[in-house]
Amino acid sequence: EVQLQASGGGLVQAGGSLRLSCAASGVFFDHYVIGWFRQAPGKEREGVSCISSVDGSTIYDDSVKGRFTISRDNAKNTVYLQMNSLKPEDTAVYYCAVDPNGASWRHGARYVDYWGKGTLVTVSS
């Protein structure tokens, strides 16, 4: 059973930083993509960023480019999302997710194979 344990959410003022972590365990694909989605109140879940376990290639949503950085530690099966220059519009529940090839971040959340429980990020103005 694949389990994704996310942590690191919290309350921060605009302009501040937070780091999210997602520890993965259980049966895994030989090659996988792991990353983050977020869902703000009244909005659809959207892809934020992901990283490949094979070559470290990344995808970022335009809204976070230059502010967020995703990284991974394959030995620990853990992915991190460093979020800098946070804005009130970044407020959302952030979900860790896995799929075999990154299709979720290109084509939508319906392609996600595994979801973690969310962690709330609140950015005050």
Side-chain angles (χ1 to χ4, degrees):
E1 179 185 3
V2 174
Q3 293 186 334
L4 304 173
Q5 184 65 47
S7 61
L11 173 63
V12 65
Q13 288 188 332
S17 299
L18 283 174
R19 190 177 81 154
L20 304 183
S21 299
C22 176
S25 62
V27 177
F28 247 111
F29 314 108
D30 290 337
H31 302 76
Y32 65 91
V33 176
I34 185 169
W36 300 90
F37 278 74
R38 67 185 179 186
Q39 188 166 20
K43 294 188 177 181
E44 293 188 354
R45 198 168 293 191
E46 62 177 6
V48 176
S49 181
C50 65
I51 186 167
S52 167
S53 70
V54 177
D55 60 8
S57 58
T58 58
I59 296 174
Y60 291 95
D61 184 76
D62 286 345
S63 65
V64 306
K65 283 181 180 177
R67 300 188 298 121
F68 291 11
T69 303
I70 193 168
S71 60
R72 94 276 190 212
D73 182 335
N74 279 359
K76 296 182 179 180
N77 269 353
T78 300
V79 63
Y80 305 97
L81 186 68
Q82 179 66 42
M83 305 185 295
N84 297 329
S85 301
L86 282 162
K87 304 175 181 179
E89 51 263 44
D90 295 317
T91 295
V93 178
Y94 284 69
Y95 296 91
C96 186
V98 169
D99 82 19
N101 52 26
S104 308
W105 285 269
R106 295 183 180 90
H107 304 301
R110 64 188 180 278
Y111 294 102
V112 169
D113 280 359
Y114 299 100
W115 290 103
K117 292 183 179 180
T119 184
L120 177 62
V121 172
T122 303
V123 184
S124 63
S125 58

